[in-house]
Amino acid sequence: ESTSYDPIIVKDFLKEAKLPDPRPLIYVCDLHGFVAELTDYLYKNSLMKYIEVYVVKVNPLQCPSVIGSLIDLDCSEDFIKTLLQNVRAACPIEPLVAECEKRNRLKVLLPWLEARVAEGNQDPFLHNGIAKIYIDTNRDPETFLKTNQFYDSAAVGKYCEDRDPHLAYTAYKRSWGSCDEQLVNVTNKNGLYRLQARYLVERQSPDLWGMVLNPENEHRRQVIDQVVSTALPESTNAEDVSATVKAFIAADLPNELIELLEKIVLHKSADFGKNKNLQNLLILTAIKADKTRVMDYINRLDNYDGPEIAKIALGEPYCLYEEAFLIYKKHNLNAEAMDTLLMNLESLERAQEFAARCGDSTVWYKLGKSQLENGQVAEAIDSYLKAEDATDYQEVIQAAERLELFEDLVRFLLMARKSAKDAVVDTELVYSYAKTDRLGEME
């Protein structure tokens, strides 16, 4: 208890005195921080009992320093293990693990560490120590890293990086967010792009996706390849798919997004192949980024919003008229398909074939109106007759009379009389009969 003496002089004196009971030396060394020197003295003078007295009864908190010194002195592992078992839980865990780890002798602690675990101790440094021992001795470390709840992922992951990067990945993954950057770095460094891709898909983190898909990331292409080829096709979780697609859109990667969507929409079974949103996105992305693929998608897919997509395809700057026509045709939107043929593709010949194939009165009417506007009066009259629609009778009368197509006009006016109650129709019919010498019908 006295502070009026010089600790170094007293310590040296007590060592030279070689007292049979070294407790005075123990107290001086403990009080003034000469623990390593005390351990060296007791060990070299075979005072093993007093080493135990010191760490068990005098100051268990100095047990880590004593153990470190004993290892340096090549003390037998059996003595060290016995000493630790006698100190039990009174020895602080963190410095003990640190002392043994820096001497590469963690394994000597295993019985003591496992005894603390059996007592229910959840100290992260305790579980870190066990993890490191299991890793070094290959004692099914992967199972431990996946199932143990108490170790520090950052510390154990870093310990694994140079030993086994797969185990580092497992440790970092287990933290689920707090070690994202370390996980990305270790998988990049060791070419574990498939593992990284799976983690990205499962993690669903916009921030993490943003970091990995940054154009400045030199590993971006390899990761994208694994996401497209393996990670996302493996997933059966709709939220995984949604988060990944959003990430590719946010990163402005339309071509890669097409690759991705092709994998899950065209080449994957039931789960996502019929998903309307994904089919829409695949076609729309192709419209904007790779027009050559659009026709194939329209033919192969069958659960997308046809009218909305067709409007986009028709508009500027895409002008995909054939694709829009096919969408309308496939969705049985015959009137819109005919409008596309007439107004965008400007093909009366194809329009005639399409009208004949679908036999829709609205389609025949649109065809007739277009033929009339293009001077094909006889053909227009045939189309109006098939449509049974005389809405444009005044325009038909003027055009037919101008070209003296009275035979055709008679047929049209007979049909028109069924719906158009107008004296003009009857008058023109009489005139047409006269022009075609059909006096009987005229009377």
Side-chain angles (χ1 to χ4, degrees):
E1 295 176 359
S2 173
T3 57
S4 59
Y5 61 88
D6 185 321
I8 295 177
I9 293 174
V10 173
K11 177 249 309 176
D12 290 342
F13 170 77
L14 291 173
K15 285 173 65 178
E16 290 171 9
K18 295 190 181 294
L19 300 173
D21 184 347
R23 277 178 288 189
L25 176 64
I26 290 173
Y27 297 140
V28 169
C29 290
D30 178 62
L31 187 61
H32 297 284
F34 303 128
V35 177
E37 195 171 343
L38 171 65
T39 306
D40 182 80
Y41 174 83
L42 296 176
Y43 179 78
K44 289 181 176 176
N45 287 279
S46 301
L47 299 170
M48 310 301 280
K49 181 181 75 170
Y50 287 98
I51 295 177
E52 184 175 335
V53 168
Y54 174 57
V55 297
V56 174
K57 296 183 178 179
V58 178
N59 193 353
L61 297 180
Q62 288 295 346
C63 183
S65 297
V66 172
I67 296 297
S69 297
L70 289 173
I71 291 173
D72 293 338
L73 293 165
D74 288 327
C75 177
S76 75
E77 286 194 4
D78 289 340
F79 178 77
I80 292 173
K81 290 177 181 177
T82 301
L83 188 63
L84 284 169
Q85 295 295 14
N86 290 334
V87 180
R88 300 176 64 82
C91 176
I93 296 169
E94 179 183 359
L96 177 63
V97 171
E99 289 290 339
C100 293
E101 183 179 345
K102 68 185 181 184
R103 293 170 171 83
N104 200 27
R105 295 290 293 277
L106 270 176
K107 189 178 175 182
V108 73
L109 298 181
L110 185 57
W112 184 84
L113 293 172
E114 290 180 332
R116 304 290 76 76
V117 171
E119 294 169 354
N121 194 316
Q122 298 179 4
D123 187 313
F125 294 102
L126 167 64
H127 294 269
N128 290 353
I130 292 181
K132 291 172 181 178
I133 294 170
Y134 285 178
I135 290 161
D136 288 341
T137 57
N138 197 27
R139 189 168 158 180
D140 196 12
E142 188 161 357
T143 299
F144 179 88
L145 294 178
K146 287 179 177 177
T147 58
N148 185 279
Q149 304 173 36
F150 307 115
Y151 71 87
D152 180 345
S153 290
V156 174
K158 185 171 180 59
Y159 185 83
C160 292
E161 284 195 12
D162 295 328
R163 292 168 170 81
D164 187 335
H166 286 84
L167 293 178
Y169 164 82
T170 302
Y172 289 141
K173 179 182 177 182
R174 170 261 196 191
S175 72
W176 204 250
S178 63
C179 296
D180 283 351
E181 193 168 339
Q182 295 96 313
L183 183 147
V184 168
N185 289 338
V186 75
T187 48
N188 284 342
K189 180 181 177 182
N190 294 279
L192 304 176
Y193 300 115
R194 181 174 298 182
L195 292 179
Q196 184 182 144
R198 286 173 177 155
Y199 180 73
L200 289 166
V201 169
E202 292 174 25
R203 180 86 171 78
Q204 301 177 22
S205 166
D207 292 338
L208 181 58
W209 272 116
M211 180 178 78
V212 172
L213 296 180
N214 188 312
E216 296 180 4
N217 176 16
E218 62 180 293
H219 304 279
R220 183 172 79 156
R221 182 69 251 176
Q222 293 94 320
V223 176
I224 289 173
D225 288 344
Q226 288 301 323
V227 171
V228 171
S229 65
T230 305
L232 202 62
E234 287 178 348
S235 176
T236 57
N237 185 337
E239 293 179 1
D240 288 350
V241 175
S242 175
T244 305
V245 167
K246 287 177 183 176
F248 276 56
I249 293 172
D252 192 22
L253 296 168
N255 294 312
E256 290 80 0
L257 180 58
I258 288 173
E259 288 182 63
L260 185 73
L261 291 169
E262 275 196 352
K263 273 284 184 181
I264 58 178
V265 174
L266 296 181
H267 306 304
K268 193 173 178 183
S269 56
D271 288 335
F272 304 114
K274 298 293 184 182
N275 185 286
K276 178 175 282 191
N277 291 333
L278 293 178
Q279 291 196 10
N280 287 341
L281 186 58
L282 177 56
I283 297 173
L284 289 171
T285 305
I287 287 173
K288 295 172 183 176
D290 189 351
K291 297 181 178 66
T292 60
R293 299 176 185 247
V294 177
M295 191 67 81
D296 180 49
Y297 296 159
I298 293 167
N299 279 313
R300 295 175 66 178
L301 302 176
D302 53 18
N303 190 32
Y304 52 88
D305 293 315
E308 289 77 6
I309 291 177
K311 287 177 187 175
I312 294 171
L314 282 172
E316 296 287 347
Y318 312 116
C319 302
L320 298 176
Y321 304 141
E322 290 288 358
E323 289 81 353
F325 168 69
L326 180 58
I327 292 173
Y328 285 136
K329 180 181 172 184
K330 189 169 182 178
H331 285 77
N332 295 317
L333 298 169
N334 296 329
E336 290 83 353
M338 178 58 83
D339 285 340
T340 305
L341 284 172
L342 296 173
M343 298 165 61
N344 302 110
L345 292 168
E346 299 179 353
S347 175
L348 283 172
E349 183 179 349
R350 288 178 62 187
Q352 177 101 32
E353 292 172 1
F354 179 69
R357 193 178 305 117
C358 68
D360 185 308
S361 60
T362 303
V363 169
W364 279 117
Y365 170 76
K366 287 178 177 289
L367 175 61
K369 189 175 183 68
S370 182
Q371 287 169 328
L372 188 63
E373 291 170 351
N374 284 274
Q376 298 182 14
V377 181
E379 293 84 350
I381 289 173
D382 282 340
S383 297
Y384 281 127
L385 288 170
K386 289 171 181 171
E388 296 183 352
D389 190 326
T391 303
D392 302 328
Y393 67 87
Q394 292 182 342
E395 293 87 342
V396 172
I397 290 169
Q398 291 174 10
E401 287 184 349
R402 187 172 63 250
L403 297 176
E404 298 186 354
L405 299 173
F406 294 106
E407 289 284 356
D408 294 317
L409 185 55
V410 167
R411 293 188 297 123
F412 177 81
L413 292 171
L414 287 171
M415 179 271 293
R417 288 188 75 203
K418 297 175 184 177
S419 57
K421 305 302 180 183
D422 189 336
V424 171
V425 173
D426 290 340
T427 302
E428 292 298 332
L429 181 57
V430 170
Y431 180 70
S432 298
Y433 278 147
K435 294 292 285 184
T436 54
D437 294 326
R438 295 165 69 176
L439 303 180
E441 287 91 337
M442 185 176 71
E443 289 182 12

